[in-house]
Short mmCIF file of all heavy atoms in Angstrom, two decimals:
data_model
loop_
_atom_site.label_atom_id
_atom_site.label_comp_id
_atom_site.label_asym_id
_atom_site.label_seq_id
_atom_site.Cartn_x
_atom_site.Cartn_y
_atom_site.Cartn_z
N MET M 1 9.34 -6.54 3.40
CA MET M 1 8.36 -5.67 4.02
C MET M 1 8.71 -4.22 3.69
O MET M 1 9.86 -3.84 3.67
CB MET M 1 8.35 -5.90 5.53
CG MET M 1 7.28 -5.08 6.19
SD MET M 1 6.82 -5.52 7.88
CE MET M 1 6.78 -7.27 7.86
N GLU M 2 7.70 -3.44 3.44
CA GLU M 2 7.85 -2.02 3.12
C GLU M 2 7.50 -1.17 4.33
O GLU M 2 6.65 -1.54 5.13
CB GLU M 2 6.90 -1.64 1.98
CG GLU M 2 7.14 -2.37 0.68
CD GLU M 2 8.35 -1.85 -0.05
OE1 GLU M 2 8.69 -0.66 0.09
OE2 GLU M 2 8.97 -2.65 -0.76
N THR M 3 8.17 -0.04 4.46
CA THR M 3 7.84 0.94 5.50
C THR M 3 7.40 2.22 4.80
O THR M 3 8.10 2.73 3.93
CB THR M 3 9.06 1.22 6.39
OG1 THR M 3 9.45 0.01 7.03
CG2 THR M 3 8.73 2.26 7.45
N LEU M 4 6.23 2.71 5.18
CA LEU M 4 5.70 3.95 4.64
C LEU M 4 5.59 4.96 5.77
O LEU M 4 5.19 4.60 6.89
CB LEU M 4 4.32 3.73 4.02
CG LEU M 4 4.21 2.66 2.93
CD1 LEU M 4 2.76 2.50 2.50
CD2 LEU M 4 5.08 3.01 1.75
N ASN M 5 5.91 6.22 5.49
CA ASN M 5 5.85 7.27 6.49
C ASN M 5 4.88 8.36 6.06
O ASN M 5 4.80 8.71 4.88
CB ASN M 5 7.23 7.89 6.71
CG ASN M 5 8.18 6.92 7.35
OD1 ASN M 5 7.93 6.43 8.44
ND2 ASN M 5 9.27 6.61 6.66
N PHE M 6 4.18 8.91 7.04
CA PHE M 6 3.18 9.95 6.80
C PHE M 6 3.33 11.04 7.86
O PHE M 6 3.39 10.75 9.05
CB PHE M 6 1.76 9.38 6.90
CG PHE M 6 1.48 8.26 5.95
CD1 PHE M 6 1.83 6.95 6.28
CD2 PHE M 6 0.88 8.49 4.72
CE1 PHE M 6 1.58 5.90 5.41
CE2 PHE M 6 0.64 7.45 3.85
CZ PHE M 6 0.98 6.16 4.20
N LYS M 7 3.39 12.29 7.41
CA LYS M 7 3.32 13.43 8.34
C LYS M 7 1.86 13.55 8.76
O LYS M 7 0.95 13.47 7.91
CB LYS M 7 3.74 14.72 7.65
CG LYS M 7 5.20 14.81 7.31
CD LYS M 7 5.47 16.16 6.68
CE LYS M 7 6.89 16.27 6.18
NZ LYS M 7 7.14 17.59 5.57
N THR M 8 1.62 13.80 10.04
CA THR M 8 0.25 13.93 10.53
C THR M 8 0.12 15.12 11.47
O THR M 8 1.12 15.74 11.85
CB THR M 8 -0.20 12.66 11.30
OG1 THR M 8 0.46 12.63 12.57
CG2 THR M 8 0.09 11.39 10.52
N ASN M 9 -1.10 15.38 11.88
CA ASN M 9 -1.35 16.36 12.94
C ASN M 9 -1.86 15.66 14.20
O ASN M 9 -2.55 16.25 15.01
CB ASN M 9 -2.30 17.45 12.46
CG ASN M 9 -3.70 16.94 12.16
OD1 ASN M 9 -3.90 15.76 11.89
ND2 ASN M 9 -4.67 17.82 12.21
N ILE M 10 -1.50 14.41 14.37
CA ILE M 10 -1.87 13.62 15.55
C ILE M 10 -0.91 14.00 16.67
O ILE M 10 0.30 13.83 16.54
CB ILE M 10 -1.80 12.11 15.21
CG1 ILE M 10 -2.84 11.81 14.13
CG2 ILE M 10 -2.01 11.27 16.45
CD1 ILE M 10 -2.70 10.43 13.51
N LYS M 11 -1.46 14.53 17.78
CA LYS M 11 -0.62 15.17 18.79
C LYS M 11 -0.46 14.42 20.10
O LYS M 11 0.50 14.64 20.82
CB LYS M 11 -1.18 16.55 19.10
CG LYS M 11 -1.19 17.47 17.92
CD LYS M 11 -1.82 18.79 18.25
CE LYS M 11 -1.86 19.65 17.00
NZ LYS M 11 -2.73 20.80 17.14
N ASN M 12 -1.42 13.57 20.47
CA ASN M 12 -1.36 12.98 21.81
C ASN M 12 -2.03 11.60 21.84
O ASN M 12 -2.51 11.11 20.82
CB ASN M 12 -2.02 13.93 22.82
CG ASN M 12 -3.43 14.28 22.43
OD1 ASN M 12 -4.22 13.42 22.05
ND2 ASN M 12 -3.77 15.56 22.50
N SER M 13 -2.07 11.01 23.01
CA SER M 13 -2.60 9.65 23.14
C SER M 13 -4.09 9.57 22.81
O SER M 13 -4.56 8.55 22.30
CB SER M 13 -2.34 9.10 24.54
OG SER M 13 -2.97 9.91 25.52
N ASP M 14 -4.85 10.62 23.06
CA ASP M 14 -6.26 10.62 22.68
C ASP M 14 -6.41 10.58 21.16
O ASP M 14 -7.28 9.89 20.63
CB ASP M 14 -6.99 11.85 23.24
CG ASP M 14 -7.15 11.80 24.75
OD1 ASP M 14 -7.13 10.70 25.33
OD2 ASP M 14 -7.29 12.88 25.35
N ASP M 15 -5.56 11.33 20.47
CA ASP M 15 -5.57 11.32 19.00
C ASP M 15 -5.19 9.94 18.48
O ASP M 15 -5.80 9.42 17.54
CB ASP M 15 -4.61 12.37 18.44
CG ASP M 15 -5.02 13.80 18.75
OD1 ASP M 15 -6.13 14.03 19.29
OD2 ASP M 15 -4.21 14.70 18.47
N VAL M 16 -4.17 9.34 19.08
CA VAL M 16 -3.74 8.00 18.67
C VAL M 16 -4.88 7.01 18.86
O VAL M 16 -5.15 6.18 17.99
CB VAL M 16 -2.48 7.56 19.46
CG1 VAL M 16 -2.15 6.10 19.16
CG2 VAL M 16 -1.30 8.45 19.12
N ALA M 17 -5.58 7.12 19.97
CA ALA M 17 -6.72 6.23 20.23
C ALA M 17 -7.79 6.39 19.15
O ALA M 17 -8.42 5.40 18.73
CB ALA M 17 -7.30 6.51 21.61
N ALA M 18 -7.98 7.62 18.67
CA ALA M 18 -9.01 7.88 17.65
C ALA M 18 -8.68 7.24 16.31
O ALA M 18 -9.58 6.85 15.56
CB ALA M 18 -9.21 9.39 17.48
N VAL M 19 -7.40 7.12 15.99
CA VAL M 19 -7.03 6.52 14.70
C VAL M 19 -6.76 5.02 14.79
O VAL M 19 -6.60 4.36 13.77
CB VAL M 19 -5.80 7.21 14.06
CG1 VAL M 19 -6.09 8.66 13.75
CG2 VAL M 19 -4.56 7.04 14.88
N THR M 20 -6.73 4.48 15.99
CA THR M 20 -6.38 3.07 16.17
C THR M 20 -7.33 2.14 15.42
O THR M 20 -6.87 1.27 14.66
CB THR M 20 -6.33 2.70 17.66
OG1 THR M 20 -5.26 3.44 18.27
CG2 THR M 20 -6.10 1.22 17.87
N LEU M 21 -8.61 2.27 15.61
CA LEU M 21 -9.56 1.37 14.94
C LEU M 21 -9.51 1.48 13.42
O LEU M 21 -9.39 0.46 12.73
CB LEU M 21 -10.98 1.59 15.47
CG LEU M 21 -12.03 0.62 14.96
CD1 LEU M 21 -11.67 -0.82 15.32
CD2 LEU M 21 -13.39 0.97 15.54
N PRO M 22 -9.56 2.70 12.86
CA PRO M 22 -9.47 2.79 11.39
C PRO M 22 -8.18 2.19 10.83
O PRO M 22 -8.20 1.52 9.79
CB PRO M 22 -9.55 4.29 11.11
CG PRO M 22 -10.23 4.88 12.28
CD PRO M 22 -9.83 4.02 13.45
N LEU M 23 -7.05 2.39 11.50
CA LEU M 23 -5.80 1.82 11.00
C LEU M 23 -5.78 0.31 11.18
O LEU M 23 -5.34 -0.43 10.29
CB LEU M 23 -4.60 2.45 11.70
CG LEU M 23 -4.28 3.89 11.31
CD1 LEU M 23 -3.17 4.46 12.19
CD2 LEU M 23 -3.89 3.99 9.84
N ASN M 24 -6.26 -0.17 12.30
CA ASN M 24 -6.28 -1.61 12.54
C ASN M 24 -7.21 -2.35 11.58
O ASN M 24 -7.07 -3.55 11.39
CB ASN M 24 -6.65 -1.92 13.98
CG ASN M 24 -5.52 -1.63 14.95
OD1 ASN M 24 -4.38 -1.41 14.54
ND2 ASN M 24 -5.84 -1.61 16.23
N ASP M 25 -8.17 -1.63 11.00
CA ASP M 25 -9.09 -2.24 10.03
C ASP M 25 -8.45 -2.50 8.67
O ASP M 25 -9.03 -3.18 7.83
CB ASP M 25 -10.33 -1.37 9.84
CG ASP M 25 -11.32 -1.51 10.99
OD1 ASP M 25 -11.21 -2.47 11.78
OD2 ASP M 25 -12.22 -0.64 11.10
N ILE M 26 -7.26 -1.97 8.44
CA ILE M 26 -6.57 -2.18 7.16
C ILE M 26 -5.80 -3.49 7.24
O ILE M 26 -4.78 -3.59 7.92
CB ILE M 26 -5.62 -1.01 6.84
CG1 ILE M 26 -6.38 0.31 6.79
CG2 ILE M 26 -4.90 -1.27 5.51
CD1 ILE M 26 -5.49 1.53 6.64
N GLU M 27 -6.31 -4.50 6.57
CA GLU M 27 -5.74 -5.85 6.66
C GLU M 27 -4.29 -5.92 6.19
O GLU M 27 -3.51 -6.73 6.69
CB GLU M 27 -6.58 -6.84 5.85
CG GLU M 27 -7.93 -7.10 6.47
CD GLU M 27 -8.73 -8.12 5.67
OE1 GLU M 27 -8.12 -8.94 4.95
OE2 GLU M 27 -9.96 -8.09 5.78
N GLN M 28 -3.92 -5.10 5.22
CA GLN M 28 -2.57 -5.16 4.65
C GLN M 28 -1.49 -4.59 5.56
O GLN M 28 -0.31 -4.71 5.27
CB GLN M 28 -2.52 -4.45 3.29
CG GLN M 28 -3.38 -5.08 2.24
CD GLN M 28 -4.80 -4.52 2.21
OE1 GLN M 28 -5.31 -4.01 3.20
NE2 GLN M 28 -5.44 -4.62 1.06
N LEU M 29 -1.89 -3.95 6.66
CA LEU M 29 -0.90 -3.39 7.58
C LEU M 29 -0.38 -4.49 8.50
O LEU M 29 -1.15 -5.23 9.10
CB LEU M 29 -1.50 -2.28 8.44
CG LEU M 29 -1.76 -0.95 7.78
CD1 LEU M 29 -2.23 0.07 8.81
CD2 LEU M 29 -0.53 -0.43 7.08
N ASP M 30 0.94 -4.57 8.61
CA ASP M 30 1.55 -5.53 9.52
C ASP M 30 1.89 -4.87 10.86
O ASP M 30 2.26 -5.55 11.81
CB ASP M 30 2.82 -6.12 8.89
CG ASP M 30 2.49 -6.96 7.68
OD1 ASP M 30 1.47 -7.67 7.70
OD2 ASP M 30 3.26 -6.90 6.71
N GLY M 31 1.78 -3.57 10.93
CA GLY M 31 2.05 -2.83 12.15
C GLY M 31 2.15 -1.35 11.86
O GLY M 31 2.35 -0.95 10.72
N TRP M 32 1.96 -0.54 12.89
CA TRP M 32 2.07 0.90 12.72
C TRP M 32 2.46 1.54 14.05
O TRP M 32 2.27 0.97 15.12
CB TRP M 32 0.79 1.51 12.18
CG TRP M 32 -0.44 1.28 13.02
CD1 TRP M 32 -1.29 0.22 12.95
CD2 TRP M 32 -0.95 2.13 14.04
NE1 TRP M 32 -2.29 0.35 13.88
CE2 TRP M 32 -2.11 1.52 14.57
CE3 TRP M 32 -0.54 3.33 14.58
CZ2 TRP M 32 -2.86 2.08 15.59
CZ3 TRP M 32 -1.29 3.90 15.61
CH2 TRP M 32 -2.44 3.28 16.09
N ASN M 33 3.01 2.75 13.95
CA ASN M 33 3.43 3.51 15.12
C ASN M 33 3.33 5.00 14.78
O ASN M 33 3.60 5.40 13.65
CB ASN M 33 4.87 3.15 15.49
CG ASN M 33 5.33 3.89 16.71
OD1 ASN M 33 4.75 3.78 17.78
ND2 ASN M 33 6.39 4.67 16.56
N ILE M 34 2.96 5.80 15.78
CA ILE M 34 2.93 7.25 15.60
C ILE M 34 3.87 7.88 16.61
O ILE M 34 3.74 7.65 17.82
CB ILE M 34 1.51 7.82 15.79
CG1 ILE M 34 0.56 7.22 14.78
CG2 ILE M 34 1.54 9.35 15.67
CD1 ILE M 34 -0.89 7.60 14.98
N ASN M 35 4.83 8.65 16.11
CA ASN M 35 5.75 9.37 16.98
C ASN M 35 5.21 10.77 17.20
O ASN M 35 5.43 11.67 16.39
CB ASN M 35 7.15 9.41 16.35
CG ASN M 35 8.15 10.10 17.24
OD1 ASN M 35 7.81 10.69 18.25
ND2 ASN M 35 9.41 10.02 16.85
N THR M 36 4.49 10.96 18.30
CA THR M 36 3.89 12.26 18.58
C THR M 36 4.92 13.27 19.09
O THR M 36 4.61 14.45 19.22
CB THR M 36 2.76 12.13 19.61
OG1 THR M 36 3.26 11.53 20.80
CG2 THR M 36 1.61 11.31 19.05
N GLU M 37 6.14 12.81 19.36
CA GLU M 37 7.20 13.70 19.84
C GLU M 37 7.97 14.37 18.70
O GLU M 37 8.63 15.37 18.91
CB GLU M 37 8.17 12.93 20.73
CG GLU M 37 7.53 12.31 21.96
CD GLU M 37 6.93 13.35 22.89
OE1 GLU M 37 7.58 14.39 23.12
OE2 GLU M 37 5.81 13.13 23.37
N SER M 38 7.91 13.82 17.50
CA SER M 38 8.63 14.40 16.37
C SER M 38 7.89 15.62 15.83
O SER M 38 6.67 15.74 16.00
CB SER M 38 8.83 13.37 15.25
OG SER M 38 7.62 13.14 14.57
N ASP M 39 8.61 16.52 15.19
CA ASP M 39 7.99 17.72 14.63
C ASP M 39 6.94 17.37 13.58
O ASP M 39 5.93 18.06 13.46
CB ASP M 39 9.05 18.63 14.00
CG ASP M 39 9.94 19.29 15.05
OD1 ASP M 39 9.53 19.36 16.23
OD2 ASP M 39 11.04 19.72 14.68
N ASP M 40 7.19 16.30 12.83
CA ASP M 40 6.26 15.91 11.77
C ASP M 40 5.19 14.95 12.26
O ASP M 40 4.32 14.55 11.50
CB ASP M 40 7.02 15.26 10.61
CG ASP M 40 7.87 16.27 9.86
OD1 ASP M 40 7.48 17.45 9.81
OD2 ASP M 40 8.90 15.86 9.31
N ARG M 41 5.26 14.54 13.52
CA ARG M 41 4.31 13.58 14.11
C ARG M 41 4.12 12.39 13.15
O ARG M 41 3.03 12.12 12.67
CB ARG M 41 3.01 14.26 14.45
CG ARG M 41 3.20 15.30 15.55
CD ARG M 41 1.94 16.06 15.82
NE ARG M 41 2.08 16.93 16.96
CZ ARG M 41 2.62 18.14 16.93
NH1 ARG M 41 3.10 18.61 15.82
NH2 ARG M 41 2.67 18.87 18.03
N LEU M 42 5.23 11.72 12.89
CA LEU M 42 5.26 10.69 11.86
C LEU M 42 4.48 9.44 12.23
O LEU M 42 4.65 8.88 13.31
CB LEU M 42 6.70 10.27 11.55
CG LEU M 42 7.49 11.19 10.65
CD1 LEU M 42 8.88 10.63 10.42
CD2 LEU M 42 6.79 11.42 9.33
N LEU M 43 3.63 9.05 11.31
CA LEU M 43 2.96 7.75 11.35
C LEU M 43 3.78 6.84 10.45
O LEU M 43 3.98 7.13 9.27
CB LEU M 43 1.53 7.86 10.81
CG LEU M 43 0.82 6.58 10.41
CD1 LEU M 43 0.67 5.63 11.59
CD2 LEU M 43 -0.53 6.89 9.78
N THR M 44 4.29 5.76 11.01
CA THR M 44 5.08 4.79 10.26
C THR M 44 4.30 3.50 10.21
O THR M 44 3.84 3.01 11.24
CB THR M 44 6.44 4.54 10.95
OG1 THR M 44 7.14 5.78 11.05
CG2 THR M 44 7.29 3.55 10.16
N VAL M 45 4.11 2.97 9.00
CA VAL M 45 3.38 1.70 8.85
C VAL M 45 4.28 0.68 8.15
O VAL M 45 5.10 1.03 7.31
CB VAL M 45 2.07 1.87 8.06
CG1 VAL M 45 1.14 2.84 8.76
CG2 VAL M 45 2.30 2.34 6.64
N GLN M 46 4.12 -0.57 8.56
CA GLN M 46 4.81 -1.67 7.92
C GLN M 46 3.77 -2.48 7.15
O GLN M 46 2.69 -2.78 7.68
CB GLN M 46 5.51 -2.58 8.94
CG GLN M 46 6.67 -1.93 9.65
CD GLN M 46 6.24 -1.01 10.77
OE1 GLN M 46 5.30 -1.30 11.48
NE2 GLN M 46 6.92 0.10 10.92
N THR M 47 4.13 -2.84 5.92
CA THR M 47 3.21 -3.55 5.07
C THR M 47 3.97 -4.38 4.03
O THR M 47 5.12 -4.08 3.73
CB THR M 47 2.25 -2.58 4.36
OG1 THR M 47 1.33 -3.31 3.56
CG2 THR M 47 3.00 -1.58 3.49
N THR M 48 3.31 -5.36 3.50
CA THR M 48 3.87 -6.10 2.38
C THR M 48 3.32 -5.56 1.06
O THR M 48 3.70 -6.02 0.00
CB THR M 48 3.52 -7.60 2.49
OG1 THR M 48 2.11 -7.74 2.61
CG2 THR M 48 4.21 -8.22 3.70
N ASP M 49 2.44 -4.57 1.15
CA ASP M 49 1.79 -4.00 -0.03
C ASP M 49 1.95 -2.48 -0.01
O ASP M 49 1.18 -1.79 0.66
CB ASP M 49 0.31 -4.39 -0.06
CG ASP M 49 -0.40 -3.92 -1.31
OD1 ASP M 49 0.20 -3.20 -2.12
OD2 ASP M 49 -1.58 -4.29 -1.48
N ASN M 50 2.93 -1.95 -0.72
CA ASN M 50 3.19 -0.51 -0.67
C ASN M 50 2.14 0.31 -1.42
O ASN M 50 2.24 1.52 -1.49
CB ASN M 50 4.59 -0.18 -1.16
CG ASN M 50 4.80 -0.49 -2.62
OD1 ASN M 50 3.92 -1.04 -3.28
ND2 ASN M 50 5.97 -0.18 -3.13
N ARG M 51 1.13 -0.34 -1.96
CA ARG M 51 0.07 0.39 -2.67
C ARG M 51 -1.05 0.85 -1.75
O ARG M 51 -2.04 1.39 -2.21
CB ARG M 51 -0.51 -0.51 -3.77
CG ARG M 51 0.52 -0.92 -4.81
CD ARG M 51 -0.02 -1.97 -5.73
NE ARG M 51 -0.22 -3.20 -4.95
CZ ARG M 51 -0.83 -4.28 -5.39
NH1 ARG M 51 -1.31 -4.31 -6.60
NH2 ARG M 51 -0.97 -5.33 -4.62
N ILE M 52 -0.88 0.69 -0.44
CA ILE M 52 -1.96 1.01 0.48
C ILE M 52 -1.91 2.44 1.03
O ILE M 52 -2.68 2.78 1.92
CB ILE M 52 -2.00 0.02 1.65
CG1 ILE M 52 -0.75 0.15 2.49
CG2 ILE M 52 -2.23 -1.39 1.18
CD1 ILE M 52 -0.93 -0.41 3.88
N ALA M 53 -1.03 3.27 0.52
CA ALA M 53 -0.90 4.64 1.03
C ALA M 53 -2.24 5.36 1.04
O ALA M 53 -2.57 6.05 2.03
CB ALA M 53 0.12 5.42 0.21
N ASP M 54 -3.04 5.22 -0.01
CA ASP M 54 -4.35 5.89 -0.06
C ASP M 54 -5.28 5.37 1.03
O ASP M 54 -6.08 6.13 1.59
CB ASP M 54 -4.99 5.72 -1.43
CG ASP M 54 -4.30 6.54 -2.50
OD1 ASP M 54 -3.64 7.54 -2.15
OD2 ASP M 54 -4.42 6.19 -3.68
N MET M 55 -5.19 4.09 1.35
CA MET M 55 -6.02 3.51 2.41
C MET M 55 -5.63 4.08 3.77
O MET M 55 -6.49 4.37 4.61
CB MET M 55 -5.91 1.99 2.40
CG MET M 55 -6.49 1.35 1.16
SD MET M 55 -6.14 -0.42 1.07
CE MET M 55 -7.14 -1.04 2.40
N VAL M 56 -4.34 4.25 4.00
CA VAL M 56 -3.86 4.82 5.26
C VAL M 56 -4.31 6.28 5.37
O VAL M 56 -4.83 6.70 6.41
CB VAL M 56 -2.33 4.71 5.37
CG1 VAL M 56 -1.82 5.47 6.59
CG2 VAL M 56 -1.90 3.24 5.42
N LEU M 57 -4.15 7.03 4.29
CA LEU M 57 -4.60 8.43 4.29
C LEU M 57 -6.09 8.53 4.58
O LEU M 57 -6.53 9.37 5.38
CB LEU M 57 -4.27 9.09 2.95
CG LEU M 57 -2.79 9.30 2.65
CD1 LEU M 57 -2.60 9.74 1.20
CD2 LEU M 57 -2.17 10.28 3.62
N ALA M 58 -6.88 7.68 3.97
CA ALA M 58 -8.33 7.69 4.18
C ALA M 58 -8.68 7.33 5.63
O ALA M 58 -9.59 7.93 6.22
CB ALA M 58 -9.01 6.72 3.22
N ALA M 59 -7.98 6.38 6.21
CA ALA M 59 -8.24 5.97 7.60
C ALA M 59 -7.94 7.12 8.57
O ALA M 59 -8.72 7.37 9.50
CB ALA M 59 -7.41 4.75 7.95
N VAL M 60 -6.84 7.82 8.34
CA VAL M 60 -6.48 8.93 9.21
C VAL M 60 -7.51 10.06 9.05
O VAL M 60 -7.97 10.64 10.05
CB VAL M 60 -5.05 9.43 8.91
CG1 VAL M 60 -4.74 10.72 9.65
CG2 VAL M 60 -4.03 8.35 9.25
N ARG M 61 -7.90 10.34 7.84
CA ARG M 61 -8.88 11.40 7.59
C ARG M 61 -10.24 11.03 8.16
O ARG M 61 -10.97 11.89 8.67
CB ARG M 61 -8.97 11.70 6.10
CG ARG M 61 -7.71 12.37 5.60
CD ARG M 61 -7.73 12.63 4.12
NE ARG M 61 -6.45 13.20 3.70
CZ ARG M 61 -5.85 12.92 2.57
NH1 ARG M 61 -6.41 12.09 1.70
NH2 ARG M 61 -4.69 13.46 2.28
N LYS M 62 -10.60 9.76 8.09
CA LYS M 62 -11.87 9.28 8.65
C LYS M 62 -11.94 9.56 10.15
O LYS M 62 -13.01 9.85 10.69
CB LYS M 62 -12.01 7.78 8.39
CG LYS M 62 -13.25 7.16 8.96
CD LYS M 62 -13.30 5.68 8.67
CE LYS M 62 -14.53 5.04 9.30
NZ LYS M 62 -14.56 3.60 9.05
N ALA M 63 -10.79 9.49 10.81
CA ALA M 63 -10.72 9.75 12.24
C ALA M 63 -10.66 11.25 12.56
O ALA M 63 -10.63 11.64 13.73
CB ALA M 63 -9.51 9.04 12.85
N GLY M 64 -10.62 12.09 11.51
CA GLY M 64 -10.66 13.52 11.71
C GLY M 64 -9.32 14.21 11.73
O GLY M 64 -9.20 15.35 12.21
N PHE M 65 -8.29 13.56 11.20
CA PHE M 65 -6.95 14.12 11.20
C PHE M 65 -6.41 14.26 9.78
O PHE M 65 -6.99 13.73 8.84
CB PHE M 65 -6.00 13.24 12.04
CG PHE M 65 -6.45 13.15 13.46
CD1 PHE M 65 -7.21 12.08 13.89
CD2 PHE M 65 -6.14 14.15 14.37
CE1 PHE M 65 -7.65 11.99 15.20
CE2 PHE M 65 -6.58 14.08 15.68
CZ PHE M 65 -7.33 12.99 16.09
N GLN M 66 -5.29 14.95 9.67
CA GLN M 66 -4.65 15.15 8.37
C GLN M 66 -3.41 14.28 8.30
O GLN M 66 -2.76 14.01 9.31
CB GLN M 66 -4.26 16.61 8.19
CG GLN M 66 -5.42 17.56 8.21
CD GLN M 66 -4.97 19.00 8.19
OE1 GLN M 66 -3.79 19.32 8.16
NE2 GLN M 66 -5.93 19.91 8.23
N ALA M 67 -3.10 13.85 7.08
CA ALA M 67 -1.87 13.08 6.86
C ALA M 67 -1.37 13.35 5.45
O ALA M 67 -2.16 13.63 4.54
CB ALA M 67 -2.14 11.60 7.04
N GLU M 68 -0.07 13.27 5.31
CA GLU M 68 0.58 13.48 4.02
C GLU M 68 1.67 12.43 3.87
O GLU M 68 2.53 12.29 4.74
CB GLU M 68 1.20 14.88 3.96
CG GLU M 68 1.99 15.17 2.71
CD GLU M 68 2.69 16.52 2.81
OE1 GLU M 68 2.31 17.36 3.65
OE2 GLU M 68 3.65 16.70 2.03
N TRP M 69 1.62 11.67 2.78
CA TRP M 69 2.59 10.63 2.55
C TRP M 69 3.96 11.25 2.30
O TRP M 69 4.09 12.20 1.51
CB TRP M 69 2.17 9.76 1.37
CG TRP M 69 3.09 8.62 1.07
CD1 TRP M 69 3.84 7.90 1.95
CD2 TRP M 69 3.34 8.04 -0.21
NE1 TRP M 69 4.53 6.91 1.32
CE2 TRP M 69 4.25 6.97 -0.02
CE3 TRP M 69 2.90 8.30 -1.49
CZ2 TRP M 69 4.71 6.18 -1.07
CZ3 TRP M 69 3.35 7.51 -2.53
CH2 TRP M 69 4.25 6.45 -2.32
N VAL M 70 4.97 10.75 2.97
CA VAL M 70 6.35 11.20 2.79
C VAL M 70 7.06 10.15 1.96
O VAL M 70 7.39 9.08 2.45
CB VAL M 70 7.07 11.37 4.15
CG1 VAL M 70 8.49 11.86 3.93
CG2 VAL M 70 6.30 12.31 5.07
N ALA M 71 7.20 10.45 0.68
CA ALA M 71 7.85 9.48 -0.22
C ALA M 71 9.33 9.37 0.15
O ALA M 71 9.96 10.35 0.52
CB ALA M 71 7.72 9.93 -1.68
N GLY M 72 9.82 8.18 0.06
CA GLY M 72 11.22 8.04 0.40
C GLY M 72 11.63 6.68 0.21
O GLY M 72 12.26 5.88 0.08
#
């Protein structure tokens, strides 16, 4: 399983609720979490397909937020 991290501007539980449906619609995701307490407000996703970074970025943007993939 791969873990991908994204810096976001998602700040609180209302923001998390807004991205929940778009992220849950990505079949290749095995799970995700957003740490709104970190400076980078990291979105961490687990997947078996590390090629889905663009899909995650699109889902976050669709919900009205910004995200940047943190390669690592």
Side-chain angles (χ1 to χ4, degrees):
M1 184 165 318
E2 299 285 331
T3 299
L4 304 176
N5 293 300
F6 302 85
K7 291 182 186 180
T8 73
N9 65 336
I10 296 169
K11 298 177 183 166
N12 56 46
S13 60
D14 290 336
D15 294 352
V16 173
V19 298
T20 295
L21 186 59
L23 287 173
N24 285 348
D25 282 345
I26 302 173
E27 290 182 24
Q28 296 90 335
L29 286 185
D30 293 322
W32 58 272
N33 181 59
I34 300 173
N35 182 351
T36 57
E37 300 298 318
S38 73
D39 290 340
D40 290 330
R41 295 176 173 83
L42 281 181
L43 163 61
T44 302
V45 300
Q46 292 79 39
T47 182
T48 55
D49 184 354
N50 65 356
R51 299 171 292 171
I52 65 160
D54 288 337
M55 294 172 69
V56 172
L57 292 171
V60 171
R61 290 178 184 142
K62 178 180 178 182
F65 299 96
Q66 298 173 0
E68 176 186 342
W69 182 32
V70 181

